[in-house]
Amino acid sequence: IISKPKPGLMTADLQVGFQMFSETYTSRIECVPGKLVKVEAIQSSLFNHLVNEWRFKPGPEPSSTWLDFLVDFQFRSSLYQSASGLFFDEVVKKMVEAFENRCMDIYSRTPRHTRHIGPSRRY
């Protein structure tokens, strides 16, 4: 964490890596507990733009939650941009699995969920 100017808002260095690629960039992170986590790259030699959002809504059963996940990005490098098309589905799957594993660590529950990783892909 670089700075935390007020509750629910921070600036942090994040690292992204997949196989032979690894880069660090600075992001603005907004957290609204129980509702939203939004991450936007603000200083990056890697991305022209990067935004990802995790939106939480009450699920159909008590103590359940729906999660909508959005990622929108464009790499500066045409090599990275081309490679991202090849690995996009796998990278998103790893991000969702990491999130689920962290939830299970915190809440010690077996997830009861329906996972839909939709077809919406923009590069």
Side-chain angles (χ1 to χ4, degrees), residues 108-119:
S108 300
R109 295 187 203 159
T110 303
R112 290 177 290 147
H113 67 297
T114 301
R115 181 187 301 171
H116 173 73
I117 298 177

Side-chain angles (χ1 to χ4, degrees), residues 16-36:
V16 63
F18 185 74
Q19 295 190 1
M20 65 185 151
F21 304 111
S22 180
E23 299 282 346
T24 300
Y25 58 95
T26 303
S27 287
R28 178 181 179 271
I29 303 162
E30 176 187 357
C31 300
V32 179
K35 295 187 181 221
L36 170 75

Side-chain angles (χ1 to χ4, degrees), residues 14 16 25 27 36-41 46-47 49-55 67-75 81 84-85 87-96 116-123:
L14 302 175
V16 63
Y25 58 95
S27 287
L36 170 75
V37 176
K38 182 178 180 178
V39 181
E40 183 175 4
L46 179 62
F47 297 103
H49 72 270
L50 167 67
V51 175
N52 74 58
E53 292 182 4
W54 303 76
R55 293 191 177 271
L67 168 65
D68 290 326
F69 173 71
L70 164 93
V71 63
D72 184 29
F73 64 92
Q74 181 182 31
F75 287 107
Q81 191 67 26
S84 72
F87 302 114
F88 182 83
D89 290 339
E90 191 171 341
V91 170
V92 170
K93 182 180 173 186
K94 285 185 180 289
M95 290 174 74
V96 171
H116 173 73
I117 298 177
S120 60
R121 295 171 57 171
R122 289 190 330 184
Y123 316 156

